Amino acid sequence: MKNLFLVLLICLFSLNAFPKDGYELWLDYSSIESSSKRAEITSLFSGIYFFGQGPTQQVIQQELRLASQKMMGRDPVFTQERLNQTQLWLGTREELAQVLGLETQMQIRNLGPEGFWRGSIDFQGKTYYAIIGNQPIGVLYGVFDWLKSIQTDTFDPKSEKTDAPKVKLRMLNHWDNLDRTVERGYAGFSIWDWHRLPGFIDPRYIDYARANASLGINAVSLTNVNANAFILTPDFMKKAKVLADLFRPYGIKVFLTARFSAPIEIGGLKTADPLDPEVVAFWKKKTEEMYSFIPDFGGFLVKANSEGQPGPHEYGRNHAEGANMLADVLAPHGGIVIWRAFVYSHEIDEDRHKQANFEFEPLDGKFRDNVIIQVKNGAIDFMPREPFHPLFGAVKNTNLGMEFQITQEYLGQATQLVYLAPMWEEVLRSKTYRPSPTSTVAGIIDGSDSGQKLTLMAGVSNIGTDRNWTGHLFGQANWFAFGRQAWDPNLSSEEIAEEWIKMTFGQNKDILAKTKEIMLESREAAVNYMNPLGLHHIMGRSHHYGPAPWVEGGRADWTSLYYHRADSEGIGFDRTATGSGALNQYAPEIANSWSDPTQIPEKYLLWFHHLPWDFELKSGRSLWEEIGLHYDQGVKTARSMKSEWDSLQGQIDPERFSHVSQLLAVQVQEAEWWRNACLLYFQTFAQRPFPEEIEQPQGDLEYYKNLDFPFAPGIRPRW
Amino acid sequence: MKNLFLVLLICLFSLNAFPKDGYELWLDYSSIESSSKRAEITSLFSGIYFFGQGPTQQVIQQELRLASQKMMGRDPVFTQERLNQTQLWLGTREELAQVLGLETQMQIRNLGPEGFWRGSIDFQGKTYYAIIGNQPIGVLYGVFDWLKSIQTDTFDPKSEKTDAPKVKLRMLNHWDNLDRTVERGYAGFSIWDWHRLPGFIDPRYIDYARANASLGINAVSLTNVNANAFILTPDFMKKAKVLADLFRPYGIKVFLTARFSAPIEIGGLKTADPLDPEVVAFWKKKTEEMYSFIPDFGGFLVKANSEGQPGPHEYGRNHAEGANMLADVLAPHGGIVIWRAFVYSHEIDEDRHKQANFEFEPLDGKFRDNVIIQVKNGAIDFMPREPFHPLFGAVKNTNLGMEFQITQEYLGQATQLVYLAPMWEEVLRSKTYRPSPTSTVAGIIDGSDSGQKLTLMAGVSNIGTDRNWTGHLFGQANWFAFGRQAWDPNLSSEEIAEEWIKMTFGQNKDILAKTKEIMLESREAAVNYMNPLGLHHIMGRSHHYGPAPWVEGGRADWTSLYYHRADSEGIGFDRTATGSGALNQYAPEIANSWSDPTQIPEKYLLWFHHLPWDFELKSGRSLWEEIGLHYDQGVKTARSMKSEWDSLQGQIDPERFSHVSQLLAVQVQEAEWWRNACLLYFQTFAQRPFPEEIEQPQGDLEYYKNLDFPFAPGIRPRW
């Protein structure tokens, strides 16, 4: 009976003539319901004065045409004649100089190449609406912003708006392999169909570029940081060139990952020593070749001497020597090197937390200006919660960029709804106390505190061939939020959520309120049922799916035991002066107060302290009890997210409703699995009963330990 | 300038509000243009008398609702009251017995469980239209057939039609791995999202079932024949159960592939010897477990002792002993064993062509009734052209099923338009001369010549997560044609093409004429530019992409040299009595005439004969000249296919037009590549000039030999 119901339910969903499958992302441009608003917008679209004929201008016209067709069911009217018979003006500051006051012109000029101004202009007794940038890309950004204001019902023709990005490079990092598998990808295959490029162009490439441009994302690294040198052969350069050509009108620059040992693998050399003249010549030639295909090629993203990847250390050279060699060959072309700080060695018997600072602090000031060090938000690896990476604030003369992970490797992959913006906001607003007492991570990233000119925020993509792009519909919100926060690190996760919800589901207030609540509580829920109170790195080995605090054996810092250190006495990783001392990598303001387990924010407690099971927390309860309560609270929140969503049935189209509802049911199961497995496991050390008021963990620890997922998605292929 | 054009072209295509992306397959149900026809159909949909409430009936209603919405923009009206106020009657023979004459009842009864009757019924002075089956699935097939008649504009309410499948099992074989890669898959990932099953149901599963049911495909093997034993664990059975539940209302049974060594890998045994009692007990328990999840589970598909797969030979047992053991444990549940005849051993120094017959002829009559031997259409491996497999006709008391390959492993993968139905038709109509002088392959497969009751036609799926399902839009035609030919092996490839074109592109006569011409000439074109005159197995190693007649080294029968045997004297594989003798595996009528190189059809010439370069063909030209002419003709046809398609611009929606046009451009390049590489290579042996009238092969043989495709799609993963 249940099966029959299921079948009917699904039939119903799939057989709509035009099902909502999420492909449109936040650019669905749903039909405008209000007749007065419809008339107002229709009027603006009925006469668009449009300068310029370049590729970006064509892209703007296409976007306006699509939006107009979908919002009003009619084509817009463009003209390049008779300014005063139009309603909406689009162009650059120079193109529209004749109708702009000097003050407005100065205001726009100060917005830089990517900024825009939009507002009303009085001209010869009539009022017009204008969207103006210094460059065509600024106009495109302004148009997307204006369309967003229509979609979110916040457009006011009488108010002015200016905006410009605070970070120079707003970048997606794809961990996509040349065979189309995606490392840590949970949304199908890679969208890059390398095999059929350059001859066959998937229309999806354009929709990808549109989506990124709508957020201001202006750079993309196409290939996995665990790189394959083949991407640097002419056959693949030709393929990358097609993507670069398609993305250029949308203001997006293409980067590629460089495998440090490429001179050996595809260059026929015996060494990849960065100081070897033949190696330098190899890279010089490769770079020139690359620029012959892609004249505005962005540069190389490099993972070196990390997790087995080759790098300068093999030749007794340091990271600066490796990075600077590449920087020097790129500099004449205007390219840059993005060098990852995610380095740790199995040869060094030292807390992994400390290794990036060990390697990079001594090199401060030694990197070229066109090198930027890309630092993960935390020192371990994209855990559900990490304190900010201690490199932020520790170096003064090195460009630092942020690396966030949009794909949910440790945060529920594609089965869980976890809105990541609150996590990123938490990191960006963290006070570093260096270089100045008021410095924040955001201030270092955007240059306002650090003074660096080359700024970067990178996000590891969660995009794949799944029809809805991100596997889980709400994965779209993380792509969206990353783009918005990269544009302006000061935006709040709440306002970003509101924008995304309205653009995705429309104006319904009930949907907005409930969906926003679900999103905003989702990350803390995940922390609670996965890694509460500073626990970390206790997930399944290799695929990182589900709980596995029992992982041991092999390389120590790839096990769970290394990180939770539970024993009969207590639990947690002592990183104070009595332990690994990693805490001392932070500013004294932090190191001093966090060294005291009664002063450190409890969310970081077990990250830095090994404490007895009976240690008393601020609630007056013991550590053991609070661990239980947090896990249980995580499960309860997951359940309330599910019931909250399910209460929207009938208000949301059945396809997307069912998609999310099914996945939330999975999420509840996975939350219970995390709670049960972790608590049963930790109880073997704590030897204490669970707090009475929580739902008692069910099941058998051996059952959980024996679960096996050899085909979990996103595992690195074995080349 | 060219880039700009490209960008604009693509923008135009991708920014339509409702682009045609091919997802709908042949079930697009395009709006009925003619007002009189629209009125006629609308009338029928406005009163549908509908018996029964089971899952298949629900599925029928859903399909009619979708078709009605898309064809007429309105919902149909169903009722179960007052027969005489309705227009269209749907039900089983028993349900509608009261209104059927005895003769019609007998006629329907004889159509069997899957057959249907549709036509008009006079009742109480009024005429009704009825679709009737013996079982609900027959009604579903009848409804799909009726909807097809509307889509193809051939519906005549006054004419009667009966139909029933000629083959019992019409089956797709997915070569899909549990990690979602697809062996020899060129359309993205596997559509089976194992990781998120059973909790998450992709609506695509339903559309897959609909598409298959619309063709009469009634069985599917979900997993790769290079099997992983993990599919037989309860975790995966639960996932397969969900798919079986979803497919059941559509009349589709689920099969799985069984890895012969599973008793060792997941059973903890030390042996997989089919005569070992513990092994038998393992399979008995596994089978019972499977039926507890899927009560109508179809059975196991097995690849054993082939290309390194485990099998009974390891234990000194033969194929019959291996297959019968599984058959015996399946029999009580009604399950069957499908045992592949694609076996050849690297330990036997014998023409691969002969090995299946060597192994299976001595076992004739030794297999259980619920075993069927699945035989590829030819003895080598899905080459562009093969003579029919000599097992057809060679055994008398063994069930034989056909294995075709829909995925274009050797036929252009997903970059080429090659309509495969003419190839399958050629095989099915081949005369075997055994068991009777008039026997054909089709007659053996459908039982009419062989007398076998258990009949099977299997096709290796070309389906993946690509939005259009098959990578190349015209890959859909091969899925479609396979289903149609499995239903009725006597259908012509031309009438199938017509159906598909009309259902896919509508009624436009120019599209029909040109597209049909392209399709019908496409396979011979591919044979010409790849493997003319009986050449075979000269493609790239491992990935099988592109030409590589120079492949040598390693296992002999995996090289090209083994098959073409070119030398300074001539070319071809002598399989006559003076050579390997494989020709003698055929009936004497064939063996005798084909042994003579002047009598054998020239399309098979080099398959069976090694002949001097100057050997004179029927045209009066030398073999060398004819090879050149055939390769060149293939290229010319590819070009004319492209120009023919391009002449349809403006008549076909821009998305699908561009998709196919781009791929045809790739196809022309690949055809030229094949011709140039093969002719330049063979010339090194022939040492003769190319015929003057052909386009001279361009390029440098070394260049072609050095092309490298390490990331070509569809390669078997290295577990």
Side-chain angles (χ1 to χ4, degrees):
Chain A
M1 195 56 205
K2 203 183 157 198
N3 285 336
L4 181 57
F5 171 72
L6 183 74
V7 168
L8 300 182
L9 188 81
I10 296 298
C11 291
L12 185 71
F13 290 176
S14 68
L15 299 192
N16 282 343
F18 300 106
K20 287 261 185 198
D21 55 24
Y23 181 79
E24 312 294 338
L25 295 163
W26 46 87
L27 300 174
D28 195 21
Y29 302 123
S30 56
S31 179
I32 299 175
E33 303 288 335
S34 150
S35 58
S36 63
K37 278 176 190 148
R38 194 183 176 87
E40 179 188 357
I41 306 299
T42 302
S43 163
L44 287 170
F45 272 90
S46 67
I48 304 178
Y49 193 86
F50 200 91
F51 286 93
Q53 284 298 314
T56 298
Q57 283 89 344
Q58 296 294 332
V59 153
I60 292 169
Q61 289 199 9
Q62 289 291 344
E63 195 68 30
L64 288 169
R65 189 169 290 127
L66 178 69
S68 181
Q69 283 168 351
K70 296 196 77 170
M71 295 193 300
M72 280 96 66
R74 62 170 68 190
D75 277 332
V77 179
F78 296 101
T79 179
Q80 293 193 301
E81 326 192 349
R82 304 296 304 274
L83 196 64
N84 59 5
Q85 289 191 354
T86 57
Q87 309 285 328
L88 175 67
W89 297 349
L90 305 177
T92 62
R93 177 177 47 84
E94 286 188 1
E95 287 162 350
L96 287 163
Q98 48 172 331
V99 297
L100 294 174
L102 277 182
E103 197 179 331
T104 307
Q105 288 197 45
M106 278 308 294
Q107 186 189 6
I108 295 173
R109 181 197 292 269
N110 291 337
L111 295 169
E114 297 178 305
F116 64 86
W117 176 97
R118 62 180 176 87
S120 61
I121 293 179
D122 292 321
F123 181 66
Q124 297 180 343
K126 211 179 133 192
T127 303
Y128 304 85
Y129 195 75
I131 304 173
I132 303 167
N134 290 298
Q135 299 291 337
I137 187 65
V139 183
L140 178 63
Y141 289 155
V143 165
F144 272 121
D145 188 70
W146 176 60
L147 290 172
K148 176 168 71 181
S149 76
I150 299 170
Q151 289 173 274
T152 55
D153 200 16
T154 55
F155 172 52
D156 174 4
K158 292 184 195 67
S159 80
E160 275 185 22
K161 176 170 179 185
T162 61
D163 206 357
K166 300 214 166 33
V167 175
K168 189 168 171 184
L169 280 170
R170 308 170 298 277
M171 183 171 191
L172 286 186
N173 286 185
H174 287 262
W175 287 358
D176 292 18
N177 299 310
L178 302 183
D179 67 358
R180 291 194 83 177
T181 57
V182 181
E183 183 166 337
R184 309 309 175 187
Y186 311 101
F189 248 17
S190 167
I191 57 171
W192 317 129
D193 187 355
W194 291 114
H195 181 66
R196 296 204 285 180
L197 280 169
F200 178 72
I201 295 171
D202 190 332
R204 192 162 192 154
Y205 302 146
I206 296 294
D207 289 320
Y208 166 86
R210 290 174 53 227
N212 279 336
S214 78
L215 305 171
I217 289 171
N218 67 350
V220 50
S221 166
L222 300 172
T223 44
N224 193 354
V225 288
N226 291 312
N228 190 294
F230 236 80
I231 188 67
L232 304 176
T233 60
D235 278 353
F236 274 87
M237 288 183 189
K238 281 176 203 162
K239 298 168 189 275
K241 171 198 165 46
V242 172
L243 296 177
D245 287 344
L246 290 168
F247 297 165
R248 189 172 295 110
Y250 292 91
I252 299 168
K253 267 195 185 184
V254 162
F255 289 68
L256 293 172
T257 49
R259 186 166 164 87
F260 205 80
S261 52
I264 299 168
E265 289 150 4
I266 60 168
L269 301 184
K270 294 225 163 67
T271 178
D273 180 351
L275 303 193
D276 182 290
E278 282 195 303
V279 170
V280 177
F282 166 86
W283 285 110
K284 188 161 180 295
K285 182 166 162 291
K286 273 293 148 203
T287 301
E288 282 164 3
E289 207 173 0
M290 188 65 77
Y291 279 90
S292 77
F293 287 108
I294 307 176
D296 56 353
F297 177 63
F300 294 124
L301 169 61
V302 186
K303 173 177 179 176
N305 291 122
S306 170
E307 301 186 318
Q309 293 296 307
H313 288 185
E314 278 90 297
Y315 309 99
R317 317 298 182 190
N318 62 36
H319 286 288
E321 288 167 315
N324 290 343
M325 179 274 290
L326 291 174
D328 289 342
V329 301
L330 283 161
H333 306 279
I336 68 165
V337 172
I338 303 174
W339 193 269
R340 291 176 90 231
F342 181 62
V343 298
Y344 62 98
S345 169
H346 62 283
E347 289 155 10
I348 302 174
D349 182 23
E350 181 54 88
D351 182 3
R352 176 168 154 189
H353 200 295
K354 296 162 70 178
Q355 294 195 35
N357 283 48
F358 271 163
E359 298 208 28
F360 285 91
E361 280 193 70
L363 301 174
D364 191 21
K366 302 222 166 98
F367 290 95
R368 300 280 188 268
D369 287 346
N370 64 333
V371 174
I372 186 161
I373 307 300
Q374 182 169 299
V375 187
K376 289 188 183 186
N377 58 276
I380 300 303
D381 193 10
F382 299 133
M383 294 294 112
R385 168 167 280 135
E386 299 200 29
F388 72 88
H389 199 297
L391 258 183
F392 294 114
V395 293
K396 293 188 169 58
N397 298 301
T398 303
N399 297 320
L400 293 188
M402 174 62 81
E403 177 175 316
F404 284 134
Q405 191 182 45
I406 312 172
T407 190
Q408 294 167 236
E409 177 177 357
Y410 301 101
L411 279 142
Q413 303 187 355
T415 42
Q416 296 188 21
L417 188 170
V418 183
Y419 177 52
L420 301 179
M423 177 169 79
W424 299 330
E425 187 180 13
E426 183 177 286
V427 172
L428 291 167
R429 298 194 177 177
S430 293
K431 292 182 75 169
T432 61
Y433 300 95
R434 303 183 295 200
S436 80
T438 59
S439 293
T440 62
V441 172
I444 289 165
I445 294 307
D446 70 15
S448 59
D449 286 321
S450 59
Q452 64 185 67
K453 294 211 173 57
L454 181 56
T455 57
L456 162 71
M457 196 181 299
V460 179
S461 156
N462 62 346
I463 297 162
T465 52
D466 274 11
R467 181 62 181 167
N468 70 6
W469 300 85
T470 53
H472 196 306
L473 182 73
F474 277 74
Q476 297 183 359
N478 291 329
W479 178 7
F480 182 91
F482 167 76
R484 298 290 292 129
Q485 287 184 326
W487 177 276
D488 183 354
N490 301 315
L491 289 176
S492 80
S493 53
E494 182 173 355
E495 64 188 305
I496 296 171
E498 278 188 26
E499 282 181 358
W500 180 78
I501 296 165
K502 287 183 187 170
M503 293 172 84
T504 302
F505 295 110
Q507 310 300 327
N508 178 305
K509 288 203 172 67
D510 198 28
I511 295 176
L512 176 62
K514 287 178 173 163
T515 307
K516 195 169 86 175
E517 188 184 341
I518 290 169
M519 289 170 73
L520 292 180
E521 68 191 354
S522 61
R523 185 262 184 152
E524 201 62 37
V527 169
N528 280 333
Y529 61 68
M530 291 177 178
N531 289 352
L533 295 166
L535 286 170
H536 54 288
H537 206 293
I538 55 174
M539 67 290 157
R541 196 200 285 267
S542 171
H543 50 62
H544 301 165
Y545 175 64
W550 45 77
V551 166
E552 62 182 327
R555 182 170 165 173
D557 61 358
W558 285 355
T559 69
S560 299
L561 269 58
Y562 177 85
Y563 293 97
H564 66 67
R565 305 193 171 203
D567 55 28
S568 61
E569 304 295 317
I571 186 170
F573 196 143
D574 183 3
R575 291 191 167 109
T576 67
T578 61
S580 80
L583 191 46
N584 277 324
Q585 294 183 316
Y586 291 93
E589 292 88 335
I590 293 173
N592 292 340
S593 83
W594 291 11
S595 288
D596 179 348
T598 66
Q599 281 196 56
I600 187 171
E602 285 183 349
K603 62 185 177 184
Y604 299 140
L605 190 63
L606 302 177
W607 192 280
F608 289 108
H609 294 275
H610 186 83
L611 295 170
W613 295 109
D614 289 328
F615 178 82
E616 189 180 308
L617 270 71
K618 293 198 179 71
S619 63
R621 295 171 175 277
S622 73
L623 174 58
W624 167 248
E625 287 175 321
E626 279 293 345
I627 289 175
L629 286 162
H630 276 75
Y631 271 105
D632 197 55
Q633 184 55 50
V635 171
K636 284 178 177 144
T637 309
R639 287 183 190 148
S640 75
M641 287 161 60
K642 163 98 169 92
S643 60
E644 193 91 337
W645 178 264
D646 285 351
S647 75
L648 292 170
Q649 184 162 23
Q651 298 193 69
I652 289 177
D653 54 283
E655 296 78 19
R656 292 188 297 182
F657 173 80
S658 163
H659 168 90
V660 175
S661 179
Q662 288 190 69
L663 287 173
L664 282 169
V666 173
Q667 183 163 357
V668 169
Q669 286 172 4
E670 290 181 348
E672 292 167 348
W673 170 32
W674 269 96
R675 179 196 61 190
N676 295 348
C678 290
L679 290 183
L680 290 170
Y681 171 77
F682 289 132
Q683 193 183 35
T684 64
F685 299 98
Q687 296 290 338
R688 284 159 172 78
F690 298 108
E692 269 182 29
E693 60 269 54
I694 75 167
E695 194 178 279
Q696 300 298 300
Q698 289 147 12
D700 169 13
L701 181 57
E702 283 310 302
Y703 165 78
Y704 292 117
K705 288 170 90 161
N706 285 328
L707 289 175
D708 191 15
F709 304 96
F711 306 105
I715 303 176
R716 192 179 309 168
R718 299 159 215 154
W719 283 329
Chain B
M1 195 56 206
K2 202 183 160 198
N3 285 337
L4 180 58
F5 172 72
L6 183 74
V7 168
L8 298 183
L9 188 81
I10 296 297
C11 289
L12 186 71
F13 290 176
S14 69
L15 299 193
N16 280 342
F18 299 106
K20 289 262 186 199
D21 56 24
Y23 181 80
E24 312 294 338
L25 295 163
W26 46 88
L27 300 174
D28 195 21
Y29 300 125
S30 56
S31 180
I32 300 173
E33 304 288 335
S34 150
S35 58
S36 62
K37 278 176 191 150
R38 193 182 176 88
E40 180 187 358
I41 306 299
T42 301
S43 163
L44 287 170
F45 273 90
S46 68
I48 306 179
Y49 194 85
F50 200 91
F51 285 93
Q53 284 298 317
T56 297
Q57 284 88 345
Q58 297 294 331
V59 152
I60 292 169
Q61 290 198 7
Q62 290 290 345
E63 196 68 31
L64 288 169
R65 189 168 289 126
L66 178 69
S68 181
Q69 283 168 352
K70 297 196 78 169
M71 294 193 301
M72 281 96 66
R74 61 170 70 190
D75 278 332
V77 179
F78 296 102
T79 178
Q80 294 195 300
E81 327 192 347
R82 304 298 305 274
L83 196 65
N84 60 4
Q85 290 191 353
T86 57
Q87 309 286 327
L88 176 67
W89 298 348
L90 306 178
T92 63
R93 177 177 48 82
E94 286 186 2
E95 287 162 349
L96 287 163
Q98 50 172 328
V99 298
L100 295 174
L102 277 182
E103 199 179 330
T104 308
Q105 288 198 45
M106 278 307 296
Q107 187 190 5
I108 296 173
R109 181 197 292 268
N110 290 337
L111 295 169
E114 297 179 304
F116 63 85
W117 177 97
R118 61 180 176 86
S120 61
I121 293 179
D122 292 320
F123 180 66
Q124 298 180 341
K126 211 178 133 191
T127 303
Y128 304 85
Y129 195 75
I131 304 174
I132 304 168
N134 289 299
Q135 300 291 337
I137 187 65
V139 183
L140 178 63
Y141 288 154
V143 165
F144 272 121
D145 188 71
W146 176 60
L147 291 172
K148 177 167 70 181
S149 76
I150 299 171
Q151 289 172 276
T152 56
D153 201 15
T154 56
F155 173 52
D156 174 5
K158 293 184 195 68
S159 80
E160 276 182 23
K161 176 170 180 187
T162 62
D163 205 357
K166 299 211 166 36
V167 175
K168 189 170 172 185
L169 281 171
R170 307 170 299 277
M171 184 170 189
L172 286 186
N173 286 184
H174 287 261
W175 287 357
D176 292 17
N177 299 311
L178 302 184
D179 66 358
R180 292 192 81 177
T181 57
V182 181
E183 183 167 337
R184 309 309 176 187
Y186 311 102
F189 248 17
S190 168
I191 58 171
W192 316 130
D193 186 354
W194 292 114
H195 181 66
R196 296 203 286 180
L197 280 169
F200 178 72
I201 295 172
D202 189 331
R204 192 161 191 155
Y205 302 146
I206 297 292
D207 289 320
Y208 167 85
R210 290 174 53 225
N212 280 336
S214 77
L215 305 171
I217 289 171
N218 67 350
V220 50
S221 167
L222 301 172
T223 43
N224 192 353
V225 289
N226 291 312
N228 189 294
F230 235 81
I231 188 68
L232 303 176
T233 60
D235 278 354
F236 274 88
M237 288 183 189
K238 281 177 202 159
K239 298 167 189 275
K241 171 196 165 47
V242 172
L243 296 177
D245 287 344
L246 291 168
F247 297 165
R248 190 172 296 112
Y250 292 91
I252 299 167
K253 268 193 185 185
V254 162
F255 289 68
L256 293 172
T257 47
R259 185 165 165 88
F260 206 78
S261 52
I264 299 168
E265 289 152 2
I266 61 167
L269 301 183
K270 294 223 162 67
T271 177
D273 181 352
L275 303 193
D276 181 290
E278 282 194 304
V279 170
V280 176
F282 166 86
W283 284 109
K284 187 161 180 293
K285 184 168 161 290
K286 272 292 149 206
T287 301
E288 283 164 3
E289 208 174 359
M290 189 65 79
Y291 279 91
S292 76
F293 287 108
I294 307 176
D296 56 353
F297 177 63
F300 293 124
L301 169 61
V302 185
K303 173 177 180 177
N305 291 122
S306 171
E307 299 187 316
Q309 292 297 306
H313 289 184
E314 278 89 298
Y315 309 98
R317 317 300 181 188
N318 63 37
H319 285 289
E321 288 167 316
N324 290 343
M325 179 272 291
L326 291 173
D328 289 341
V329 302
L330 284 161
H333 306 280
I336 69 166
V337 173
I338 303 173
W339 194 269
R340 291 175 90 231
F342 181 62
V343 297
Y344 63 97
S345 169
H346 63 282
E347 289 155 10
I348 302 173
D349 182 23
E350 182 53 271
D351 182 2
R352 176 168 154 188
H353 200 295
K354 296 162 69 178
Q355 294 194 35
N357 283 48
F358 271 163
E359 297 208 30
F360 285 92
E361 281 192 68
L363 300 175
D364 192 21
K366 302 223 166 99
F367 289 96
R368 299 280 188 268
D369 287 346
N370 64 332
V371 174
I372 187 161
I373 307 301
Q374 182 170 299
V375 188
K376 289 188 183 185
N377 57 276
I380 300 304
D381 193 10
F382 300 132
M383 293 295 112
R385 168 167 280 137
E386 299 201 28
F388 73 88
H389 198 296
L391 258 183
F392 294 115
V395 292
K396 293 189 169 60
N397 297 301
T398 302
N399 296 321
L400 293 187
M402 175 62 82
E403 178 175 315
F404 284 134
Q405 192 183 45
I406 312 171
T407 190
Q408 294 168 236
E409 177 177 357
Y410 301 101
L411 278 140
Q413 303 187 355
T415 41
Q416 295 187 21
L417 189 169
V418 184
Y419 177 53
L420 301 179
M423 177 170 79
W424 300 331
E425 186 181 13
E426 182 177 287
V427 172
L428 290 167
R429 297 194 179 177
S430 293
K431 292 182 75 169
T432 61
Y433 299 97
R434 303 183 295 199
S436 80
T438 59
S439 293
T440 62
V441 172
I444 288 165
I445 293 306
D446 70 15
S448 59
D449 285 322
S450 59
Q452 65 185 65
K453 294 212 172 57
L454 181 55
T455 55
L456 162 71
M457 197 182 297
V460 179
S461 157
N462 63 345
I463 297 162
T465 51
D466 274 11
R467 181 63 181 167
N468 69 6
W469 299 85
T470 53
H472 196 306
L473 181 74
F474 277 75
Q476 297 183 358
N478 292 329
W479 178 7
F480 182 91
F482 167 76
R484 298 289 293 131
Q485 289 184 323
W487 177 276
D488 184 354
N490 301 314
L491 289 176
S492 80
S493 53
E494 181 173 356
E495 62 187 308
I496 296 170
E498 279 189 24
E499 283 182 356
W500 179 79
I501 295 165
K502 286 183 186 172
M503 294 173 84
T504 302
F505 295 109
Q507 309 300 327
N508 178 306
K509 288 204 172 67
D510 198 27
I511 295 176
L512 176 62
K514 287 177 173 164
T515 307
K516 194 168 87 174
E517 187 184 340
I518 290 169
M519 288 170 74
L520 292 178
E521 69 191 355
S522 61
R523 185 263 182 151
E524 201 63 36
V527 169
N528 280 334
Y529 60 69
M530 290 177 179
N531 290 351
L533 294 166
L535 287 170
H536 54 288
H537 205 292
I538 55 173
M539 66 289 154
R541 196 198 287 266
S542 172
H543 50 63
H544 301 166
Y545 176 64
W550 45 78
V551 166
E552 63 182 325
R555 183 170 164 173
D557 61 358
W558 285 354
T559 68
S560 300
L561 268 58
Y562 177 86
Y563 294 97
H564 66 67
R565 305 193 171 205
D567 56 29
S568 61
E569 304 295 315
I571 185 171
F573 196 144
D574 183 3
R575 291 191 168 108
T576 68
T578 60
S580 80
L583 191 46
N584 277 324
Q585 294 183 316
Y586 291 93
E589 291 88 335
I590 294 172
N592 292 340
S593 83
W594 291 10
S595 287
D596 179 348
T598 66
Q599 283 195 56
I600 188 170
E602 285 182 348
K603 62 186 176 184
Y604 300 140
L605 189 62
L606 302 177
W607 191 280
F608 290 107
H609 294 276
H610 186 84
L611 296 170
W613 295 110
D614 290 328
F615 179 82
E616 187 180 311
L617 270 69
K618 295 196 176 72
S619 63
R621 295 170 175 278
S622 73
L623 174 59
W624 166 249
E625 288 174 320
E626 279 294 344
I627 289 175
L629 285 162
H630 276 75
Y631 271 105
D632 196 56
Q633 183 55 48
V635 171
K636 283 178 177 145
T637 309
R639 288 182 189 150
S640 76
M641 288 162 60
K642 165 98 169 92
S643 60
E644 194 89 338
W645 179 264
D646 286 350
S647 75
L648 292 171
Q649 185 162 20
Q651 298 193 70
I652 290 177
D653 52 283
E655 295 80 17
R656 293 188 297 182
F657 173 80
S658 164
H659 168 92
V660 175
S661 179
Q662 287 190 69
L663 287 172
L664 283 168
V666 173
Q667 183 163 356
V668 169
Q669 285 172 4
E670 291 181 346
E672 293 167 348
W673 170 31
W674 268 97
R675 179 196 62 191
N676 295 348
C678 290
L679 289 183
L680 290 170
Y681 171 77
F682 290 132
Q683 193 182 36
T684 64
F685 300 96
Q687 298 289 339
R688 285 159 172 78
F690 298 108
E692 270 181 29
E693 59 268 57
I694 74 168
E695 193 178 279
Q696 301 298 299
Q698 289 147 11
D700 169 13
L701 181 57
E702 283 310 302
Y703 164 78
Y704 293 117
K705 288 170 92 162
N706 286 327
L707 289 175
D708 190 15
F709 305 95
F711 305 105
I715 302 176
R716 191 177 311 168
R718 298 159 216 152
W719 283 329

